Amino acid sequence: MKPFTYERARSPAEAAAAAARTPGAKFIAGGTNLLDLMKLQIETPGHLIDVNGLALDKIEATAEGGLRIGALVRNTDLAADERVRRDYGVLSRALLAGASGQLRNKATTGGNLLQRTRCPYFYDTNQPCNKRQPGSGCAAIGGYSRQLAVIGSSEACIATHPGDMSIAMRALDAVVETVKPDGTARAIPIAEFHRLPGDTPQIETALEQGEFITAVVLPKPAGGTHIYRKVRDRASYAYALVSVAAIVQRDGTARVAIGGVAHKPWRVEAAEAEIPRGAKAAAAAIMAGARPTHDNAFKVTLVERTLGAVLAEARS
Amino acid sequence: MSHVSFTVNGERRQLDIDTRTTLLDALREHLHLTGSKKGCDHGQCGACTALVNGRRINTCLSLAVMHEGDEVTTIEGLGKPGDLHPMQAAFVKHDGYQCGYCTPGQICSSVAVLKEIEAGIPSHVSADLNAKPGVTAEEIRERMSGNICRCGAYSNIVEAISEVAGSQA
Amino acid sequence: MKFDTPATTNPIDQLKVVGQPLDRVDGPLKTSGTAPYAYERHDVVANQAYGYVVGAAIAKGRITGMALDAARAAPGVITIVTAETAGKLDKGKRNAATLFGGPEVEHYHQAVALVVAESFEQARAAAQLVQVDYAKAEGAYDLAAAKQAGVEPSEGSPDQKVGDFEAAFAAAPVQFDRTYTTPDQSHAMMEPHASIAAWEGDKVTVWTSNQMVDWATTDLAQTLGLPKEQVRIVSPYIGGGFGGKLFLRADTLLAALGARAAKRPVKVALTRPMMANNTTHRPATIQRIRFGAGRDGKLTAIAHESWSGNLPGGEPEDAIQQSRLLYAGANRLTGNRLATLDLPEGNAMRAPGETPGLMALEIAMDEMAEQLGLDPIEFRVRNDTQVDPANPDRPFSQRQLIECLRQGAERFGWDKRATKPGSRREGRWLVGIGVAAGFRNSMSMPSGARVRLDAAGVVTVETDMTDIGTGSYTIIAQTAAEMMGVGMDKVVVRLGDSSFPVSAGSGGQWGANSSTAGVYAACVKLREAVAQKLGFNSADTAFADGQVRAGNRSAPLGQAAGEGGLVAEDTIEYGDLAKQYQQSTFAGHFVEVAVDAATGEVRVRRMLAVCAAGRILNPKSARSQVIGAMTMGVGGALMEELAVDKRHGFFVNHDLATYEVPVHADIPHQEVVFLEEADATSSPMKAKGVGELGLCGVGAAVANAIHNATGLRVREYPITLDKLLDRLPDAA
């Protein structure tokens, strides 16, 4: 871990300004992913801006009937919030399926959106990785890729986005609110927040240098049955092989986002028209164009079968 | 170097410390409170679990300088030989450990788990998100899953925690 | 004491203390975080500096250059040690690869430099500045590809042929021929390898985490070119080993080298991401099993061949061991083939040989039973043997396999098992139960101990035996308490120091029986010394309740010690009873699984082990050994696999997030039953071992339960959902 200087920010705008001012600066909130990566010299910030003191730890009702979740709301608190449990069950479930109790106590809403991939080649600094070191190549392609992406990947990167929370937020059509170093605020629909790798896998989100997440806004409750189904090798404390976040209405229509398959939460709105026709048709449409590797071809089948189980559960 | 002060097991501590020092290393290497263990240093095992302001966290993934004014409780603060915390005593009685290396983390975590259930925080296995979770073996297992025990004392650990939960009820 | 005839009645048979389910004596220390592990010894020596290991970035080749200037100039750096600067190093005879690489690199993450600095943060940061250039060489990393080049190993277990397998197999009315694979596995003990080394003149002391203190002492001395007397190893608490800490490893050597170069004490721990490739692992196997049987279900031909790979100088994974002894059959063929692979060194992991061997053999038995139309337990019963099949004059000292299986069947509800696989459904779950035989040989090792008696009647035991979570402290205290007639509160046990008598150490499940037998031997001597001191006739002296009695005379035990105390030391050694008798341990493992019909996720619902393993010295800690082993068995069955990058030659998933081991949520309540046994041929303790037995067979019991639940056979471990998915019934 490289030496770094450290400051505690006093306001979101000040944090953003400090980040823009200091080359190599990073925000730190829960720190559960950033410190992990700093120890391995994968992240090498020269300056850390501790944002934990900012008063962004509230969940408030919005005028539109939704919820504004402060960026510093911890995963545990978000999952346990009564309104979230009642009206956004898929989000509560997704959070509870992630990580461990200890990590959820630290991990924040904003930080969780910025989780970096768990691709083992990204984590091993002896190996080439376009995400870690642009232009160095991708060791995962042709290597051990069981956990990695099956769709939306590129010649440069086949990493997966590791999140659970973000998958549910994608199904919920959440909006990420930020403040830029110049003090202007913007709202980024979650669909546009995470990016596919393309030729620049090191750029993972729509955030600009210094841009700071202040909140995530959920639209007013969509009703329906909320299900988050995470499929993994061990029963807990593991990343998803495949996860399905679904909000299923009585009429059989549904919104579905898939985790564990792509560089971002995977949702194909156009494919959702197929859902009333069953999981096979819907999964085929959602996963159209999938390019799995030898190691992870099973994920395509797994998406279909998991979606089938989720839709069946919603019906019952 | 940076200055930080926090309370550990009821005692005020002041440290001038490398900004890179984790809370875990501050405890182990600077304060010589070695009950919190380093099993992975990456939040993958739970051996470093301690309570900060009453909540359990992985102390390996938190910088010491980020804990200004916090109250930290480590395994040493729960009890000591001759004066064990009920959870520590239950682990002895049920042989809820073998090599002992994950044990402080398991115990800190289990003390917090019972509080989390009491506070009504749901878990992945809670059947009804909107109901108060029960103190069942299934709930305990899920909530303790961030504490790996390679010796495989899980079955005994769950019995120890269940016994303490029962006596608290 | 030479143990060369079966034990008769001795003081241990009183079972006042031995055999009781006592709480561990080290429990209060472990549960309060005050048991000191290697890296935590702030108390032993002042002014400790921090060493951080740099691992090789390639699997095979040469270092062509090292740029150390930036690291040397980094804040806090005291010294940097490389193989080039370390001076001449030899290699311990138990290491295949050298522990300090350079210029040759023998495997990925082989240590190539140690950076020593004032703080951990400084050492780590400087280590990350070390630049190493390599010339990569071609290596062999794929067992399946290297298999054909496998040769019969020169050491260890040569091929065994009994009768005429080929002819008997060809003539058998029912034939079976299947191949199974088991992956590389990682010990993944919770405490990383760690050492603190301090030199005093030309003598070095290392506080470390090692299962075999004498091996570490011997091999560190040899590696450093020192007389053994100049090396002291201290290892009183070990945060798990499972075979991964049997040998001298890089942390110990590098701490010693770093301390010598820095001229002050140095502590070194391997980082978690380095452990899988820097240290040893359980090698992968490819196993072919062939059975020939009559329609009566009796095996007439058994062949078990296993292929594994290792570095030059490494040994094969002896996966065929159990197949020489577990079932009857007149015609047999067993053998290992060893291929050269340039992956990290393969070596012992908990129940080496039998663990992967039984993972294959006991699926094969299940498959063969099905082919014969027999119940899997009945099939095993029909093929039981009470003698070594290769030498019918050599009986098992004890063998209650059938009883293990029958009692297990009764307790587990085997009669409710669906005879038609895939026919029991509970909601989304397909449910099934499976069985496997557990088998692990019981080895005995010489083991020494010193016992001291003081005037207060306190007995202090010193032996270099280790407690790796097995309960050694407790059972040794129980042994001394039983022998000397004192309460547990009057016994002090000191372990894990090379200044104590050499013990069996912890490995091969021999530790409990052997080390307590060594304490028994020393206590026999101490009893004689006490009787002599008191002027009692030692033959009819009784030790009980802190008193020594002979005839109508009685004295407090401490009286014999007087002010100077009494000391006795002895070593248990063995005659040829292990040659006359086959000494083994047996189990019946029962598992119930539920398989998600849609996703193929497997969850274990119930587990039972019925064990026959000689006298159980402490049923509480022994039971823990077994449940822990069962847990590891679940890991091996369902998730554990070091994924090999076959292009670059390393284990890719080298941390605890990606090498998944079972967590709480994977493990149900576990039942363990120990059958009444006392094996007079094993030692005066009449005990054997259970720590490995508990693992042997579990993987296959899980696999067989999955088959019973789904009708699907998977012969490639681990049985992850992707291997079931395509063959599961159509989703709802």
Side-chain angles (χ1 to χ4, degrees):
Chain A
M1 190 187 294
K2 284 192 176 168
F4 55 83
T5 49
Y6 170 84
E7 72 174 298
R8 297 187 185 100
R10 280 171 298 186
S11 76
E14 189 189 294
R21 192 166 58 232
T22 322
K26 284 254 175 199
F27 304 117
I28 185 163
T32 52
N33 192 199
L34 181 58
L35 284 170
D36 169 34
L37 295 169
M38 286 168 66
K39 290 177 186 194
L40 297 167
Q41 203 95 329
I42 295 165
E43 294 276 9
T44 54
H47 183 66
L48 280 187
I49 302 161
D50 182 348
V51 296
N52 283 290
L54 307 185
L56 297 172
D57 56 353
K58 304 282 186 304
I59 304 172
E60 295 161 329
T62 64
E64 294 73 30
L67 289 179
R68 173 171 285 103
I69 304 159
L72 291 169
V73 173
R74 309 285 156 174
N75 285 178
T76 297
D77 300 320
L78 182 55
D81 184 89
E82 259 182 54
R83 295 159 293 183
V84 175
R85 283 151 71 175
R86 187 187 61 225
D87 298 330
Y88 305 93
V90 66
L91 177 58
S92 197
R93 288 285 182 202
L95 285 158
L96 296 171
S100 67
Q102 291 95 311
L103 290 163
R104 292 192 297 269
N105 278 342
K106 284 300 280 183
T108 62
T109 306
N112 198 299
L113 287 172
L114 301 175
Q115 268 197 92
R116 305 202 67 190
T117 184
R118 299 289 164 159
C119 172
Y121 294 94
F122 172 71
Y123 263 75
D124 189 332
T125 50
N126 292 327
Q127 304 302 320
C129 170
N130 289 320
K131 186 182 278 298
R132 181 166 24 78
Q133 202 178 347
S136 62
C138 172
I141 295 173
Y144 170 67
S145 56
R146 182 167 182 269
Q147 298 278 345
L148 303 182
V150 296
I151 195 161
S153 55
S154 71
E155 297 304 314
C157 181
I158 59 171
T160 24
H161 172 73
D164 291 298
M165 182 193 82
S166 54
I167 312 303
M169 286 181 171
R170 182 71 178 86
L172 287 164
D173 286 326
V175 174
V176 183
E177 293 187 343
T178 69
V179 57
K180 292 192 198 184
D182 64 6
T184 59
R186 70 164 170 157
I188 308 168
I190 186 98
E192 293 160 27
F193 186 80
H194 294 102
R195 296 167 38 111
L196 288 179
D199 297 335
T200 53
Q202 73 277 17
I203 303 171
E204 292 164 356
T205 69
L207 293 181
E208 295 169 13
Q209 171 62 31
E211 189 169 1
F212 178 70
I213 299 172
T214 53
V216 174
V217 174
L218 302 181
K220 77 175 179 4
T225 302
H226 287 224
I227 296 172
Y228 186 76
R229 184 79 154 80
K230 181 174 183 179
V231 182
R232 43 191 162 176
D233 288 320
R234 66 182 177 193
S236 189
Y237 201 20
Y239 294 95
L241 293 167
V242 158
S243 67
V244 173
I247 302 167
V248 186
Q249 305 296 341
R250 278 177 177 277
D251 63 3
T253 61
R255 297 196 229 161
V256 170
I258 312 288
V261 296
H263 197 259
K264 64 179 197 177
W266 191 254
R267 182 173 172 200
V268 182
E269 277 87 343
E272 287 169 6
E274 298 289 327
I275 288 172
R277 277 189 277 282
K280 226 180 201 45
I286 293 168
M287 300 302 285
R291 292 194 314 166
T293 68
H294 171 269
D295 289 354
N296 65 24
F298 74 94
K299 284 190 178 185
V300 178
T301 312
L302 187 57
V303 167
E304 179 196 313
R305 297 185 69 102
T306 308
L307 181 59
V310 165
L311 296 178
E313 185 187 334
R315 280 195 302 272
S316 67
Chain B
M1 298 295 271
S2 202
H3 183 81
V4 66
S5 64
F6 44 70
T7 303
V8 184
N9 302 328
E11 198 180 330
R12 191 92 181 140
R13 307 301 293 250
Q14 311 258 355
L15 288 170
D16 285 303
I17 204 161
D18 193 313
T19 51
R20 295 169 292 185
T21 305
T22 60
L23 179 58
L24 176 63
D25 284 330
L27 293 169
R28 285 171 61 83
E29 304 302 329
H30 294 261
L31 302 175
H32 294 188
L33 289 166
T34 55
S36 306
K37 303 302 182 193
K38 187 183 279 190
C40 72
D41 216 14
H42 288 277
Q44 302 166 353
C45 80
C48 65
T49 303
L51 309 176
V52 175
N53 301 332
R55 293 184 137 198
R56 55 178 172 148
I57 67 163
N58 297 117
T59 57
C60 76
L61 286 186
S62 204
L63 295 171
V65 293
M66 294 169 71
H67 290 280
E68 180 63 38
D70 282 352
E71 287 194 23
V72 180
T73 303
T74 68
I75 189 71
E76 290 94 340
L78 290 181
K80 42 174 99 48
D83 183 22
L84 294 177
H85 182 279
M87 192 65 80
Q88 294 170 318
F91 270 62
V92 175
K93 177 181 166 190
H94 291 276
D95 215 38
Y97 54 84
Q98 290 177 39
C99 81
Y101 201 76
C102 75
T103 311
Q106 299 276 355
I107 291 172
C108 286
S109 210
S110 58
V111 168
V113 158
L114 294 185
K115 286 189 196 151
E116 288 165 15
I117 295 175
E118 180 59 35
I121 295 171
S123 86
H124 173 62
V125 300
S126 304
D128 180 354
L129 273 182
N130 298 300
K132 189 168 159 52
V135 192
T136 64
E138 191 191 13
E139 284 281 359
I140 292 170
R141 286 186 194 116
E142 163 58 25
R143 291 165 191 268
M144 290 298 295
S145 285
N147 291 86
I148 294 177
C149 172
R150 183 57 161 164
C151 294
Y154 296 133
S155 184
N156 289 353
I157 291 171
V158 172
E159 282 172 27
I161 299 172
S162 300
E163 182 179 286
V164 174
S167 70
Q168 280 179 352
Chain C
M1 176 183 288
K2 188 76 179 271
F3 181 73
D4 50 11
T5 55
T8 53
T9 302
N10 67 42
I12 297 296
D13 295 324
Q14 300 171 94
L15 299 180
K16 286 195 270 186
V17 193
V18 170
Q20 300 302 314
L22 303 183
D23 291 347
R24 290 177 200 236
V25 297
D26 48 343
L29 294 179
K30 285 181 172 173
T31 57
S32 63
T34 50
Y37 296 82
Y39 200 76
E40 303 166 354
R41 301 306 298 269
H42 298 288
D43 58 316
V44 292
V45 59
N47 200 28
Q48 298 169 15
Y50 292 78
Y52 197 93
V53 181
V54 178
I58 61 165
K60 192 180 183 190
R62 286 178 70 82
I63 293 172
T64 54
M66 290 182 103
L68 302 175
D69 290 351
R72 274 205 194 97
V77 171
I78 299 163
T79 188
I80 300 175
V81 187
T82 65
E84 199 177 3
T85 64
K88 186 180 167 339
L89 296 176
D90 197 352
K91 191 174 76 173
K93 70 173 180 186
R94 295 172 188 85
N95 295 124
T98 55
L99 297 175
F100 207 9
E104 292 298 323
V105 172
E106 294 157 285
H107 62 87
Y108 196 72
H109 277 173
Q110 185 176 26
V112 296
L114 180 79
V115 178
V116 180
E118 294 291 341
S119 76
F120 172 71
E121 292 78 17
Q122 290 170 332
R124 178 177 58 194
Q128 287 163 337
L129 294 172
V130 170
Q131 290 284 343
V132 186
D133 293 322
Y134 300 94
K136 236 173 146 171
E138 287 298 308
Y141 309 118
D142 182 353
L143 176 61
K147 182 183 165 211
Q148 287 313 317
V151 296
E152 188 177 349
S154 54
E155 285 177 57
S157 62
D159 291 359
Q160 188 192 65
K161 291 180 182 171
V162 178
D164 183 344
F165 169 78
E166 299 295 347
F169 182 71
V174 184
Q175 294 177 340
F176 175 88
D177 182 353
R178 288 287 187 185
T179 297
Y180 304 83
T181 63
T182 63
D184 297 288
Q185 294 180 340
S186 189
H187 306 85
M189 71 296 279
M190 299 314 298
E191 182 204 24
H193 300 71
S195 297
I196 301 174
W199 290 83
E200 262 185 286
D202 55 5
K203 292 185 180 168
V204 66
T205 300
V206 187
W207 294 267
T208 186
S209 183
N210 192 293
Q211 300 172 229
M212 301 291 291
V213 167
D214 189 58
W215 292 3
T217 311
T218 306
D219 286 351
L220 181 59
Q222 178 166 355
T223 307
L224 293 173
L226 292 176
K228 194 174 164 186
E229 300 69 45
Q230 288 171 215
V231 174
R232 182 176 166 216
I233 295 284
V234 187
S235 181
Y237 289 93
I238 297 155
F242 315 113
K245 293 174 181 166
L246 281 172
F247 312 106
L248 178 72
R249 296 301 317 167
D251 58 301
T252 305
L253 176 63
L254 294 189
L257 294 173
R260 190 159 68 183
K263 299 184 174 60
R264 61 189 266 199
V266 166
K267 57 198 253 179
V268 176
L270 295 184
T271 61
R272 178 61 62 177
M274 189 173 277
M275 288 169 65
N277 286 285
N278 176 273
T279 71
T280 59
H281 64 278
R282 187 200 301 283
T285 65
I286 298 170
Q287 302 178 47
R288 182 185 186 194
I289 294 176
R290 284 175 287 171
F291 293 136
R295 304 216 180 272
D296 60 356
K298 295 236 170 143
L299 292 167
T300 54
I302 299 176
H304 191 165
E305 298 155 278
S306 175
W307 289 261
S308 58
N310 215 329
L311 288 167
E315 292 177 12
E317 178 69 23
D318 192 8
I320 53 82
Q321 283 184 70
Q322 71 292 322
S323 300
R324 292 181 172 160
L325 292 163
L326 191 48
Y327 298 113
N331 303 284
R332 318 172 73 91
L333 167 67
T334 49
N336 290 301
R337 292 293 176 269
L338 177 61
T340 298
L341 290 181
D342 299 294
L343 292 169
E345 178 178 343
N347 214 315
M349 177 167 149
R350 198 173 198 167
E354 278 105 332
T355 298
L358 284 160
M359 286 167 86
L361 178 67
E362 288 296 292
I363 297 185
M365 287 296 286
D366 204 64
E367 293 200 71
M368 186 66 173
E370 190 181 24
Q371 198 173 325
L372 287 159
L374 284 175
D375 175 86
I377 292 177
E378 175 58 24
F379 177 50
R380 289 175 173 89
V381 169
R382 282 190 198 180
N383 290 286
D384 189 50
T385 175
Q386 293 293 318
V387 297
D388 176 351
N391 181 1
D393 294 334
R394 186 168 168 264
F396 282 91
S397 59
Q398 287 179 321
R399 178 170 164 128
Q400 295 200 72
L401 175 60
I402 293 176
E403 186 55 24
C404 289
L405 293 168
R406 291 233 159 104
Q407 221 187 93
E410 172 82 27
R411 286 173 177 268
F412 205 67
W414 184 254
D415 57 341
K416 296 185 188 68
R417 170 178 176 264
T419 47
K420 183 172 177 292
S423 63
R424 187 175 155 203
R425 177 104 187 218
E426 294 176 15
R428 63 189 254 211
W429 300 102
L430 298 163
V431 180
I433 62 179
V435 69
F439 173 90
R440 172 71 171 155
N441 282 332
S442 177
M443 291 172 274
S444 302
M445 299 283 274
S447 195
R450 184 158 59 219
V451 283
R452 301 173 188 278
L453 176 66
D454 71 11
V458 173
V459 179
T460 300
V461 185
E462 293 174 338
T463 163
D464 83 357
M465 181 60 190
T466 50
D467 190 328
I468 60 174
T470 40
S472 306
Y473 278 105
T474 310
I475 57 173
I476 284 172
Q478 287 175 276
T479 303
E482 193 82 75
M483 289 298 291
M484 302 312 298
V486 297
M488 289 287 280
D489 59 336
K490 294 287 190 192
V491 182
V492 174
V493 179
R494 301 173 65 198
L495 300 182
D497 188 323
S498 61
S499 66
F500 299 154
V502 174
S503 74
S506 298
Q509 81 169 10
W510 62 59
N513 179 49
S514 300
S515 70
T516 55
V519 173
Y520 169 92
C523 286
V524 167
K525 270 200 177 168
L526 184 61
R527 286 165 61 111
E528 284 164 6
V530 166
Q532 195 179 13
K533 197 75 177 261
L534 295 172
F536 291 7
N537 175 2
S538 65
D540 62 3
T541 304
F543 293 73
D545 307 321
Q547 297 285 315
V548 190
R549 294 187 185 83
N552 54 9
R553 297 173 59 196
S554 166
L557 180 63
Q559 189 182 312
E563 285 311 304
L566 273 180
V567 183
E569 182 176 333
D570 202 2
T571 295
I572 189 88
E573 291 169 303
Y574 301 88
D576 67 352
L577 287 172
K579 288 208 178 74
Q580 294 176 44
Y581 300 94
Q582 176 57 42
Q583 299 167 337
S584 304
T585 61
F586 299 88
H589 285 292
F590 293 80
V591 173
E592 179 176 298
V593 301
V595 181
D596 188 297
T599 63
E601 292 160 286
V602 179
R603 300 293 178 249
V604 176
R605 286 187 168 185
R606 292 195 295 141
M607 298 185 83
L608 165 69
V610 181
C611 304
R615 173 175 284 158
I616 300 304
L617 301 174
N618 180 328
K620 184 177 268 191
S621 56
R623 178 180 170 281
S624 290
Q625 281 290 288
V626 176
I627 66 166
M630 291 157 77
T631 301
M632 193 175 273
V634 170
L638 297 180
M639 61 191 83
E640 290 184 39
E641 174 176 21
L642 284 168
V644 180
D645 187 311
K646 291 168 188 157
R647 307 161 304 169
H648 303 306
F650 71 106
F651 299 128
V652 182
N653 51 340
H654 50 70
D655 62 25
L656 283 175
T658 50
Y659 183 84
E660 292 186 14
V661 300
V663 296
H664 272 278
D666 292 300
I667 302 300
H669 175 73
Q670 295 163 318
E671 298 273 357
V672 180
V673 175
F674 294 112
L675 299 185
E676 275 301 319
E677 250 188 34
D679 189 338
T681 74
S682 75
S683 84
M685 302 302 294
K686 304 175 186 171
K688 292 176 184 169
V690 296
E692 299 189 325
L693 176 66
L695 170 57
C696 295
V698 175
V702 174
N704 295 338
I706 291 170
H707 175 259
N708 184 243
T710 63
L712 304 178
R713 276 294 169 200
V714 177
R715 299 182 185 87
E716 298 83 32
Y717 289 98
I719 308 173
T720 45
L721 59 88
D722 46 299
K723 295 170 187 169
L724 299 167
L725 210 53
D726 283 337
R727 296 183 286 158
L728 284 170
D730 268 347

